[in-house]
Coordinates of all heavy atoms in Angstrom, one line a residue:
S1 N 114.8 159.7 61.1 CA 115.3 158.4 61.4 C 115.9 158.4 62.8 O 116.5 159.3 63.3 CB 116.3 157.9 60.4 OG 117.2 157.0 60.9
T2 N 115.7 157.3 63.5 CA 116.3 157.2 64.9 C 117.5 156.3 65.0 O 118.0 156.0 66.0 CB 115.2 156.6 65.9 OG1 114.8 155.3 65.3 CG2 114.0 157.5 66.0
R3 N 118.1 156.0 63.8 CA 119.3 155.2 63.8 C 120.5 155.9 64.5 O 120.7 157.1 64.3 CB 119.6 154.8 62.4 CG 118.6 153.9 61.7 CD 119.0 153.5 60.4 NE 120.2 152.7 60.5 CZ 120.3 151.4 60.0 NH1 119.3 150.9 59.3 NH2 121.4 150.8 60.1
R4 N 121.2 155.1 65.3 CA 122.3 155.7 66.0 C 123.7 155.1 65.7 O 124.6 155.1 66.4 CB 122.1 155.5 67.5 CG 120.8 156.3 68.0 CD 121.1 157.7 68.3 NE 122.1 157.9 69.4 CZ 122.8 159.0 69.5 NH1 122.6 160.0 68.7 NH2 123.8 159.1 70.5
D5 N 123.7 154.4 64.5 CA 125.0 153.8 64.1 C 126.0 154.9 63.7 O 125.6 156.0 63.3 CB 124.8 152.7 63.1 CG 124.2 153.3 61.8 OD1 123.0 153.4 61.7 OD2 125.0 153.7 60.9
I6 N 127.3 154.6 63.7 CA 128.3 155.6 63.4 C 128.2 156.2 62.0 O 128.4 157.4 61.8 CB 129.7 155.2 63.7 CG1 130.1 153.9 63.0 CG2 130.0 155.2 65.2 CD1 131.6 153.6 63.1
L7 N 127.8 155.4 61.0 CA 127.7 155.9 59.7 C 126.5 156.9 59.5 O 126.7 158.0 58.9 CB 127.5 154.8 58.6 CG 128.8 154.0 58.4 CD1 128.6 153.0 57.3 CD2 129.9 154.9 58.0
T8 N 125.4 156.6 60.2 CA 124.3 157.6 60.2 C 124.7 158.8 60.9 O 124.4 160.0 60.4 CB 123.0 156.9 60.9 OG1 122.7 155.7 60.2 CG2 121.8 157.9 60.8
M9 N 125.3 158.7 62.0 CA 125.8 159.9 62.8 C 126.7 160.7 62.0 O 126.7 162.0 61.9 CB 126.4 159.5 64.1 CG 125.4 159.0 65.1 SD 126.1 158.1 66.5 CE 126.8 159.4 67.5
L10 N 127.6 160.0 61.2 CA 128.6 160.7 60.4 C 128.0 161.5 59.3 O 128.3 162.6 59.0 CB 129.6 159.7 59.9 CG 131.0 160.1 59.6 CD1 131.7 160.7 60.8 CD2 131.8 159.0 59.0
T11 N 127.0 160.8 58.6 CA 126.4 161.5 57.4 C 125.4 162.6 57.8 O 125.1 163.5 57.0 CB 125.7 160.5 56.5 OG1 124.9 159.6 57.3 CG2 126.6 159.6 55.7
T12 N 124.9 162.5 59.1 CA 123.9 163.6 59.5 C 124.5 164.7 60.3 O 123.9 165.7 60.5 CB 122.7 162.9 60.2 OG1 123.2 162.2 61.3 CG2 121.9 162.0 59.3
A13 N 125.8 164.4 60.8 CA 126.4 165.4 61.6 C 126.6 166.8 60.9 O 126.8 166.8 59.7 CB 127.8 164.9 62.0
C14 N 126.4 167.9 61.6 CA 126.6 169.2 61.0 C 127.1 170.2 62.1 O 126.9 170.0 63.2 CB 125.4 169.7 60.3 SG 124.0 169.9 61.4
D15 N 127.9 171.2 61.6 CA 128.4 172.2 62.5 C 127.3 173.2 62.8 O 126.2 173.1 62.4 CB 129.7 172.8 62.0 CG 129.5 173.5 60.7 OD1 128.4 173.8 60.4 OD2 130.5 173.7 60.0
T16 N 127.7 174.3 63.6 CA 126.8 175.3 64.0 C 126.2 176.0 62.8 O 125.1 176.6 62.9 CB 127.4 176.3 64.9 OG1 128.7 176.7 64.4 CG2 127.6 175.7 66.3
E17 N 126.9 176.1 61.7 CA 126.4 176.7 60.5 C 125.5 175.8 59.6 O 125.0 176.2 58.5 CB 127.5 177.3 59.6 CG 127.8 178.8 60.0 CD 129.2 178.9 60.6 OE1 130.2 178.4 59.9 OE2 129.4 179.4 61.7
G18 N 125.4 174.5 60.1 CA 124.6 173.6 59.3 C 125.2 172.9 58.2 O 124.6 172.2 57.4
S19 N 126.6 173.0 58.1 CA 127.2 172.3 56.9 C 127.7 170.9 57.3 O 128.1 170.6 58.5 CB 128.4 173.1 56.3 OG 129.1 173.6 57.4
H20 N 127.5 170.0 56.4 CA 127.8 168.5 56.6 C 129.2 168.2 56.1 O 129.9 169.1 55.5 CB 126.8 167.7 55.8 CG 125.4 167.8 56.3 ND1 124.9 167.1 57.3 CD2 124.4 168.7 55.9 CE1 123.6 167.5 57.5 NE2 123.3 168.4 56.7
L21 N 129.7 167.0 56.4 CA 131.0 166.6 55.9 C 130.9 166.4 54.4 O 129.9 166.0 53.9 CB 131.4 165.3 56.6 CG 131.7 165.3 58.1 CD1 132.0 163.9 58.6 CD2 132.9 166.2 58.4
S22 N 132.0 166.8 53.8 CA 132.1 166.5 52.3 C 132.2 165.1 52.0 O 132.5 164.3 52.9 CB 133.2 167.3 51.7 OG 134.5 166.7 52.1
K23 N 132.1 164.7 50.8 CA 132.2 163.3 50.4 C 133.6 162.8 50.7 O 133.8 161.7 51.2 CB 131.9 163.1 48.9 CG 131.8 161.7 48.4 CD 131.4 161.7 47.0 CE 131.5 160.3 46.4 NZ 131.2 160.3 44.9
K24 N 134.6 163.6 50.4 CA 136.0 163.2 50.7 C 136.2 163.0 52.2 O 136.8 162.1 52.7 CB 137.0 164.2 50.2 CG 138.4 163.8 50.3 CD 139.5 164.8 49.9 CE 140.9 164.3 50.1 NZ 141.1 163.8 51.5
E25 N 135.7 163.9 53.0 CA 135.8 163.8 54.5 C 135.1 162.6 55.0 O 135.7 161.9 55.9 CB 135.2 165.1 55.2 CG 136.1 166.3 55.0 CD 135.4 167.6 55.5 OE1 134.1 167.7 55.3 OE2 136.1 168.5 55.9
L26 N 134.0 162.2 54.4 CA 133.2 161.0 54.8 C 134.1 159.8 54.5 O 134.3 158.9 55.4 CB 131.9 160.9 54.1 CG 130.7 161.7 54.6 CD1 129.6 161.5 53.7 CD2 130.4 161.2 56.0
I27 N 134.7 159.7 53.3 CA 135.5 158.6 52.9 C 136.7 158.5 53.8 O 137.1 157.4 54.3 CB 135.9 158.7 51.4 CG1 134.7 158.5 50.6 CG2 137.0 157.7 51.1 CD1 134.9 158.9 49.1
D28 N 137.4 159.6 54.1 CA 138.5 159.6 55.0 C 138.2 159.1 56.4 O 138.9 158.4 57.0 CB 139.1 161.0 55.2 CG 139.8 161.5 53.9 OD1 140.1 160.6 53.0 OD2 140.1 162.6 53.7
Q29 N 137.0 159.5 56.9 CA 136.5 159.1 58.3 C 136.3 157.6 58.3 O 136.7 156.9 59.2 CB 135.2 159.8 58.7 CG 135.4 161.3 59.0 CD 136.2 161.5 60.2 OE1 136.3 160.7 61.2 NE2 136.9 162.6 60.3
V30 N 135.7 157.0 57.2 CA 135.4 155.6 57.2 C 136.7 154.8 57.1 O 136.9 153.8 57.8 CB 134.5 155.3 56.0 CG1 134.4 153.8 55.7 CG2 133.1 155.9 56.2
F31 N 137.7 155.4 56.4 CA 139.0 154.7 56.3 C 139.6 154.7 57.7 O 140.2 153.7 58.1 CB 139.9 155.5 55.3 CG 141.2 154.8 55.0 CD1 141.2 153.6 54.4 CD2 142.4 155.3 55.5 CE1 142.4 152.9 54.1 CE2 143.6 154.6 55.3 CZ 143.6 153.4 54.6
G32 N 139.5 155.8 58.5 CA 140.0 155.8 59.8 C 139.3 154.8 60.7 O 140.0 154.1 61.5
F33 N 138.0 154.6 60.6 CA 137.3 153.6 61.4 C 137.8 152.2 61.0 O 138.0 151.4 61.9 CB 135.8 153.6 61.1 CG 135.1 154.9 61.6 CD1 133.9 155.3 61.0 CD2 135.6 155.6 62.7 CE1 133.2 156.4 61.5 CE2 134.9 156.7 63.2 CZ 133.8 157.1 62.6
L34 N 138.0 151.9 59.7 CA 138.5 150.6 59.3 C 139.9 150.3 59.9 O 140.1 149.3 60.5 CB 138.5 150.5 57.8 CG 137.2 150.4 57.1 CD1 137.3 150.4 55.6 CD2 136.5 149.1 57.5
L35 N 140.7 151.3 59.8 CA 142.1 151.2 60.3 C 142.1 151.0 61.8 O 142.8 150.1 62.4 CB 142.9 152.4 59.9 CG 144.4 152.3 59.7 CD1 144.6 151.4 58.4 CD2 145.0 153.6 59.6
A36 N 141.3 151.9 62.5 CA 141.3 151.8 64.0 C 140.6 150.6 64.6 O 140.8 150.2 65.7 CB 140.7 153.1 64.5
G37 N 139.6 150.1 63.8 CA 138.7 149.1 64.3 C 139.0 147.7 64.0 O 138.5 146.7 64.5
F38 N 140.0 147.5 63.0 CA 140.2 146.1 62.5 C 141.1 145.3 63.4 O 140.6 144.3 64.0 CB 140.8 146.2 61.1 CG 140.7 144.9 60.4 CD1 139.5 144.5 59.7 CD2 141.8 144.0 60.3 CE1 139.5 143.3 59.1 CE2 141.8 142.8 59.7 CZ 140.6 142.4 59.0
D39 N 142.3 145.6 63.6 CA 143.3 144.9 64.4 C 142.8 144.9 65.9 O 142.9 143.9 66.6 CB 144.7 145.4 64.3 CG 145.4 144.9 63.0 OD1 144.8 144.1 62.3 OD2 146.5 145.4 62.7
T40 N 142.4 146.0 66.3 CA 142.0 146.2 67.8 C 140.9 145.1 68.1 O 141.0 144.4 69.1 CB 141.4 147.6 68.0 OG1 140.5 147.9 67.0 CG2 142.5 148.6 68.2
T41 N 139.9 145.0 67.2 CA 138.8 144.1 67.4 C 139.2 142.7 67.3 O 138.8 141.9 68.2 CB 137.6 144.4 66.4 OG1 137.3 145.8 66.5 CG2 136.4 143.6 66.8
S42 N 140.0 142.4 66.3 CA 140.4 141.0 66.1 C 141.3 140.5 67.2 O 141.2 139.4 67.7 CB 141.0 140.7 64.7 OG 142.2 141.3 64.6
I43 N 142.2 141.4 67.7 CA 143.2 141.0 68.8 C 142.4 140.9 70.1 O 142.6 140.0 70.9 CB 144.3 142.0 68.9 CG1 145.2 141.9 67.6 CG2 145.2 141.8 70.1 CD1 146.3 143.0 67.4
A44 N 141.4 141.8 70.3 CA 140.6 141.7 71.6 C 139.9 140.4 71.6 O 139.8 139.7 72.6 CB 139.7 142.9 71.7
L45 N 139.3 140.0 70.4 CA 138.5 138.8 70.3 C 139.5 137.6 70.5 O 139.1 136.6 71.3 CB 137.9 138.7 68.9 CG 137.0 137.5 68.7 CD1 135.8 137.5 69.6 CD2 136.5 137.5 67.2
T46 N 140.7 137.6 70.0 CA 141.6 136.5 70.2 C 142.0 136.3 71.6 O 141.9 135.2 72.1 CB 142.9 136.8 69.4 OG1 142.6 137.0 68.0 CG2 143.9 135.7 69.5
W47 N 142.3 137.4 72.4 CA 142.6 137.3 73.8 C 141.4 136.8 74.6 O 141.6 136.0 75.5 CB 143.1 138.6 74.3 CG 144.5 138.9 74.0 CD1 145.0 139.9 73.1 CD2 145.7 138.3 74.5 NE1 146.3 139.9 73.0 CE2 146.8 138.9 73.9 CE3 145.9 137.2 75.4 CZ2 148.1 138.5 74.1 CZ3 147.2 136.8 75.6 CH2 148.3 137.4 75.0
T48 N 140.2 137.3 74.2 CA 139.0 136.8 74.9 C 138.8 135.3 74.8 O 138.6 134.6 75.7 CB 137.8 137.6 74.4 OG1 138.0 139.0 74.5 CG2 136.6 137.2 75.2
L49 N 139.0 134.8 73.5 CA 138.8 133.4 73.3 C 139.9 132.6 74.0 O 139.6 131.5 74.5 CB 138.8 133.1 71.8 CG 137.6 133.7 71.0 CD1 137.7 133.5 69.5 CD2 136.3 133.1 71.6
L50 N 141.1 133.1 74.0 CA 142.2 132.4 74.7 C 141.9 132.3 76.2 O 142.0 131.2 76.8 CB 143.6 133.2 74.5 CG 144.8 132.5 75.3 CD1 145.1 131.2 74.7 CD2 146.0 133.4 75.2
Q51 N 141.4 133.4 76.8 CA 141.0 133.4 78.2 C 139.9 132.4 78.5 O 140.0 131.6 79.4 CB 140.5 134.8 78.7 CG 141.5 135.9 78.6 CD 142.3 136.0 79.9 OE1 142.7 135.0 80.5 NE2 142.5 137.2 80.4
L52 N 138.9 132.3 77.6 CA 137.8 131.4 77.7 C 138.3 130.0 77.6 O 137.8 129.1 78.2 CB 136.7 131.7 76.7 CG 135.8 132.9 77.1 CD1 134.8 133.2 76.0 CD2 135.1 132.7 78.4
S53 N 139.3 129.7 76.7 CA 139.8 128.4 76.5 C 140.5 127.9 77.8 O 140.6 126.7 78.0 CB 140.8 128.3 75.3 OG 142.1 128.8 75.7
E54 N 141.0 128.8 78.6 CA 141.7 128.5 79.9 C 140.7 128.3 81.0 O 141.1 127.9 82.1 CB 142.8 129.5 80.2 CG 144.0 129.3 79.3 CD 144.9 130.5 79.3 OE1 144.6 131.6 79.9 OE2 146.0 130.4 78.7
R55 N 139.5 128.8 80.8 CA 138.4 128.7 81.8 C 137.1 128.0 81.3 O 136.1 128.7 81.0 CB 138.0 130.1 82.3 CG 139.1 130.8 83.2 CD 139.1 130.3 84.6 NE 137.8 130.3 85.2 CZ 137.4 131.4 85.9 NH1 138.1 132.5 86.0 NH2 136.2 131.4 86.4
P56 N 137.2 126.7 81.1 CA 136.0 126.0 80.5 C 134.7 126.2 81.2 O 133.7 126.2 80.6 CB 136.5 124.5 80.5 CG 137.9 124.5 80.7 CD 138.3 125.8 81.4
D57 N 134.8 126.3 82.6 CA 133.6 126.6 83.3 C 132.9 127.9 82.9 O 131.7 127.9 82.7 CB 134.0 126.6 84.8 CG 135.0 127.7 85.2 OD1 136.0 127.8 84.3 OD2 135.0 128.3 86.2
L58 N 133.7 128.9 82.8 CA 133.2 130.2 82.4 C 132.7 130.2 80.9 O 131.7 130.8 80.5 CB 134.3 131.3 82.5 CG 134.0 132.7 82.7 CD1 132.9 132.8 83.9 CD2 135.2 133.5 83.1
Q59 N 133.5 129.5 80.1 CA 133.1 129.3 78.7 C 131.7 128.7 78.5 O 130.9 129.2 77.8 CB 134.1 128.4 78.0 CG 133.9 128.3 76.5 CD 134.9 127.4 75.8 OE1 134.5 126.7 74.9 NE2 136.2 127.4 76.2
Q60 N 131.4 127.7 79.4 CA 130.2 127.1 79.4 C 129.0 128.1 79.8 O 128.0 128.1 79.2 CB 130.2 125.9 80.4 CG 129.3 124.8 80.1 CD 129.5 124.3 78.6 OE1 130.6 124.1 78.1 NE2 128.4 124.2 77.9
K61 N 129.3 128.9 80.8 CA 128.4 129.9 81.2 C 128.1 131.0 80.2 O 127.0 131.4 80.0 CB 128.8 130.6 82.5 CG 128.7 129.8 83.8 CD 129.0 130.6 85.0 CE 129.0 129.7 86.2 NZ 129.8 130.4 87.3
V62 N 129.2 131.4 79.5 CA 129.0 132.4 78.4 C 128.1 131.8 77.3 O 127.2 132.4 76.8 CB 130.4 132.9 77.9 CG1 130.2 133.6 76.6 CG2 131.1 133.7 78.9
R63 N 128.5 130.5 76.9 CA 127.7 129.8 75.9 C 126.2 129.8 76.3 O 125.3 130.0 75.5 CB 128.3 128.4 75.7 CG 127.7 127.6 74.7 CD 128.4 126.3 74.6 NE 129.2 126.2 73.3 CZ 128.6 125.8 72.2 NH1 127.3 125.6 72.1 NH2 129.3 125.7 71.1
G64 N 126.0 129.4 77.6 CA 124.6 129.3 78.1 C 123.9 130.7 78.0 O 122.7 130.7 77.6
E65 N 124.6 131.8 78.4 CA 124.0 133.1 78.3 C 123.6 133.4 76.8 O 122.5 134.0 76.5 CB 124.9 134.2 78.8 CG 124.3 135.6 78.8 CD 125.3 136.6 79.3 OE1 126.3 136.9 78.7 OE2 125.0 137.2 80.4
M66 N 124.5 133.1 75.9 CA 124.2 133.3 74.5 C 123.0 132.6 74.0 O 122.2 133.2 73.3 CB 125.5 132.9 73.6 CG 126.7 133.7 74.0 SD 127.4 134.4 72.5 CE 128.5 135.6 73.2
S67 N 122.9 131.3 74.3 CA 121.7 130.5 73.8 C 120.5 131.1 74.4 O 119.4 131.2 73.8 CB 121.8 129.0 74.1 OG 123.1 128.7 74.4
L68 N 120.6 131.5 75.7 CA 119.4 132.0 76.4 C 118.9 133.3 75.8 O 117.7 133.5 75.5 CB 119.7 132.3 77.9 CG 118.6 132.6 78.8 CD1 117.8 131.3 79.1 CD2 119.1 133.1 80.2
V69 N 119.8 134.3 75.5 CA 119.5 135.6 75.0 C 119.2 135.5 73.5 O 118.3 136.2 73.0 CB 120.6 136.6 75.3 CG1 120.3 137.9 74.7 CG2 120.8 136.8 76.8
L70 N 120.0 134.8 72.8 CA 120.0 134.9 71.3 C 119.1 133.8 70.7 O 118.7 133.9 69.5 CB 121.4 134.9 70.7 CG 122.3 135.9 71.2 CD1 123.7 135.7 70.6 CD2 121.8 137.3 70.9
G71 N 118.9 132.7 71.4 CA 118.1 131.6 70.9 C 118.9 130.8 69.8 O 120.1 130.9 69.7
D72 N 118.2 130.0 69.0 CA 118.8 129.1 68.1 C 119.2 129.8 66.8 O 120.1 129.4 66.1 CB 117.9 127.9 67.8 CG 117.7 127.0 69.0 OD1 118.6 127.0 69.8 OD2 116.6 126.4 69.1
D73 N 118.4 130.8 66.4 CA 118.7 131.4 65.1 C 119.9 132.4 65.1 O 119.7 133.6 65.5 CB 117.4 132.1 64.6 CG 117.6 132.8 63.2 OD1 118.6 132.4 62.5 OD2 116.8 133.7 62.8
I74 N 121.1 131.9 64.8 CA 122.3 132.7 65.0 C 122.6 133.4 63.6 O 123.5 134.2 63.6 CB 123.5 132.0 65.5 CG1 123.7 130.7 64.6 CG2 123.3 131.6 67.0 CD1 125.1 130.1 64.8
N75 N 121.9 133.1 62.6 CA 122.2 133.6 61.3 C 121.4 134.9 61.0 O 120.7 135.1 60.1 CB 121.8 132.6 60.2 CG 122.4 132.9 58.9 OD1 123.4 133.7 58.8 ND2 121.9 132.4 57.8
R76 N 121.6 135.9 61.9 CA 120.9 137.2 61.8 C 121.7 138.2 62.6 O 122.6 137.9 63.4 CB 119.5 137.1 62.4 CG 119.5 136.8 63.9 CD 118.2 136.5 64.5 NE 118.3 136.1 65.9 CZ 118.4 137.0 66.9 NH1 118.4 138.2 66.7 NH2 118.5 136.5 68.1
T77 N 121.4 139.5 62.4 CA 122.1 140.6 63.1 C 121.4 140.7 64.5 O 120.2 140.7 64.6 CB 121.9 141.9 62.4 OG1 122.3 141.7 61.1 CG2 122.7 143.0 63.1
I78 N 122.2 140.7 65.6 CA 121.6 140.8 66.9 C 121.3 142.3 67.2 O 121.8 143.2 66.6 CB 122.6 140.3 68.0 CG1 123.8 141.1 68.2 CG2 123.0 138.8 67.7 CD1 124.6 140.7 69.5
T79 N 120.3 142.5 68.1 CA 119.8 143.8 68.4 C 120.6 144.4 69.6 O 121.3 143.7 70.3 CB 118.3 143.7 68.8 OG1 118.2 143.0 70.1 CG2 117.5 143.0 67.8
H80 N 120.5 145.7 69.7 CA 121.1 146.4 70.8 C 120.6 145.9 72.2 O 121.4 145.8 73.1 CB 120.9 147.9 70.8 CG 121.7 148.6 69.7 ND1 121.1 149.1 68.6 CD2 123.0 148.7 69.5 CE1 122.1 149.6 67.8 NE2 123.3 149.4 68.3
E81 N 119.3 145.6 72.2 CA 118.7 145.1 73.5 C 119.4 143.7 73.8 O 119.7 143.5 75.0 CB 117.2 144.9 73.3 CG 116.4 146.2 73.3 CD 116.6 147.0 72.0 OE1 116.9 146.4 71.0 OE2 116.5 148.2 72.1
E82 N 119.6 142.9 72.8 CA 120.2 141.6 73.1 C 121.6 141.8 73.6 O 122.1 141.1 74.5 CB 120.1 140.7 71.8 CG 118.7 140.2 71.5 CD 118.6 139.6 70.2 OE1 119.4 139.9 69.2 OE2 117.7 138.7 70.0
L83 N 122.3 142.7 72.9 CA 123.7 143.0 73.3 C 123.8 143.4 74.7 O 124.6 142.9 75.5 CB 124.3 144.1 72.3 CG 125.8 144.1 72.1 CD1 126.3 142.8 71.6 CD2 126.1 145.2 71.1
D84 N 122.9 144.3 75.1 CA 122.8 144.8 76.5 C 122.6 143.7 77.5 O 123.0 143.7 78.6 CB 121.7 145.9 76.7 CG 122.2 147.2 76.1 OD1 123.4 147.3 75.9 OD2 121.4 148.1 76.0
A85 N 121.8 142.7 77.0 CA 121.4 141.6 77.9 C 122.5 140.6 78.2 O 122.4 139.8 79.1 CB 120.1 140.9 77.4
L86 N 123.5 140.6 77.3 CA 124.6 139.7 77.4 C 125.6 140.2 78.5 O 126.8 140.6 78.3 CB 125.4 139.5 76.1 CG 124.6 138.8 75.0 CD1 125.3 139.0 73.7 CD2 124.3 137.4 75.3
K87 N 125.2 140.2 79.8 CA 125.9 140.7 80.9 C 127.2 140.0 81.2 O 128.3 140.6 81.3 CB 125.1 140.7 82.2 CG 123.8 141.5 82.1 CD 124.0 143.0 82.1 CE 122.7 143.7 82.1 NZ 122.8 145.0 81.4
L88 N 127.2 138.7 81.3 CA 128.4 137.9 81.6 C 129.4 138.0 80.4 O 130.6 138.2 80.6 CB 128.0 136.4 81.8 CG 129.2 135.5 82.1 CD1 129.8 135.9 83.5 CD2 128.8 134.1 82.1
T89 N 128.9 137.9 79.2 CA 129.7 138.0 78.0 C 130.5 139.4 78.0 O 131.7 139.4 77.8 CB 128.9 137.8 76.7 OG1 128.1 136.7 76.8 CG2 129.8 137.8 75.5
T90 N 129.7 140.4 78.3 CA 130.3 141.8 78.3 C 131.4 141.9 79.4 O 132.5 142.4 79.2 CB 129.2 142.8 78.6 OG1 128.2 142.7 77.6 CG2 129.7 144.2 78.6
A91 N 131.1 141.3 80.6 CA 132.0 141.3 81.7 C 133.3 140.6 81.3 O 134.4 141.0 81.6 CB 131.4 140.7 82.9
V92 N 133.2 139.4 80.6 CA 134.4 138.7 80.2 C 135.2 139.5 79.3 O 136.4 139.5 79.4 CB 133.9 137.3 79.6 CG1 135.1 136.6 78.9 CG2 133.4 136.4 80.7
I93 N 134.6 140.1 78.3 CA 135.3 140.9 77.3 C 136.0 142.1 78.0 O 137.2 142.4 77.8 CB 134.3 141.5 76.2 CG1 133.8 140.3 75.4 CG2 135.1 142.5 75.3 CD1 132.7 140.7 74.4
K94 N 135.3 142.7 79.0 CA 135.9 143.9 79.7 C 137.1 143.4 80.5 O 138.1 144.1 80.6 CB 134.9 144.6 80.6 CG 134.0 145.5 79.7 CD 133.0 146.2 80.6 CE 132.2 147.2 79.8 NZ 131.1 147.8 80.6
E95 N 137.0 142.2 81.2 CA 138.1 141.7 82.0 C 139.3 141.4 81.2 O 140.4 141.5 81.6 CB 137.6 140.5 82.8 CG 136.7 140.7 83.9 CD 137.3 141.5 85.1 OE1 138.6 141.5 85.2 OE2 136.6 142.2 85.8
T96 N 139.1 141.0 79.9 CA 140.2 140.6 79.0 C 141.0 141.8 78.6 O 142.2 141.7 78.4 CB 139.6 139.8 77.8 OG1 138.8 138.7 78.2 CG2 140.7 139.3 76.9
Q97 N 140.3 143.0 78.4 CA 141.0 144.1 77.9 C 142.0 144.7 78.8 O 141.8 144.9 79.9 CB 139.9 145.2 77.6 CG 138.9 144.7 76.6 CD 138.9 145.3 75.2 OE1 139.6 146.4 75.0 NE2 138.4 144.7 74.3
Ligands
HEM1 C1 138.1 146.1 71.0 C2 138.3 146.9 70.0 C3 139.0 148.3 70.2 C4 139.9 148.7 71.1 C5 140.7 147.9 72.1 C6 140.2 150.1 70.8 C7 141.1 150.9 71.5 C8 141.2 152.2 71.3 C9 142.0 153.1 72.2 C10 142.8 152.7 73.4 C11 141.9 154.4 71.7 C12 142.5 155.7 72.3 C13 143.8 155.9 71.6 C14 144.4 157.1 72.3 O1 143.8 158.2 72.3 O2 145.6 157.1 72.7 C15 141.0 154.3 70.5 C16 140.6 155.4 69.8 C17 139.9 155.3 68.6 N1 139.2 154.2 68.2 FE1 139.3 152.4 69.0 N2 139.4 150.5 69.8 C18 138.6 149.5 69.4 C19 137.7 149.4 68.4 C20 137.4 150.5 67.5 C21 136.5 150.4 66.4 C22 135.6 149.2 66.0 C23 136.5 151.6 65.8 C24 135.8 152.1 64.6 C25 134.5 152.1 64.5 C26 137.5 152.5 66.5 C27 137.8 153.7 66.2 C28 138.6 154.6 67.0 C29 138.8 156.0 66.7 C30 138.2 156.7 65.5 C31 139.6 156.4 67.7 C32 140.1 157.9 67.9 C33 139.1 158.6 68.7 C34 139.5 160.1 68.9 O3 139.4 160.9 68.0 O4 140.1 160.4 70.0 N3 138.0 151.7 67.6 N4 140.6 153.0 70.4

């Protein structure tokens, strides 16, 4: 498989002797991801949206980029290629951090 998401990487990772993480270690790692990724992501999103609310011109451009790259069907998972193509959106998120 060519999947590169963190769960696939975690379940396929092995040390030099070829041993994988145990079930308990996997569960502990996932708990760490949830803890580390929840507030950080929601607070980053909150600040980004606040910044955009203060810059309607930029908000309009970000919206435009999204419709251009993602099209009308928003009820689906976006691809890595689409994520990479969201240049302005990425720049706004990075400036906010
Ligand atoms: C915008 C969202 C996020 C921000 C701002 C953020 C910020 C950070 C920062 C600053 C550190 C370094 C802490 C230090 O070494 O002093 C860190 C580490 C870490 N983050 Fe995030 N994070 C975010 C999202 C996530 C997500 C979604 C995950 C889980 C998938 C995650 C998992 C981790 C883990 C596991 C570490 C420790 C890495 C290590 O072992 O050194 N983070 N994060």
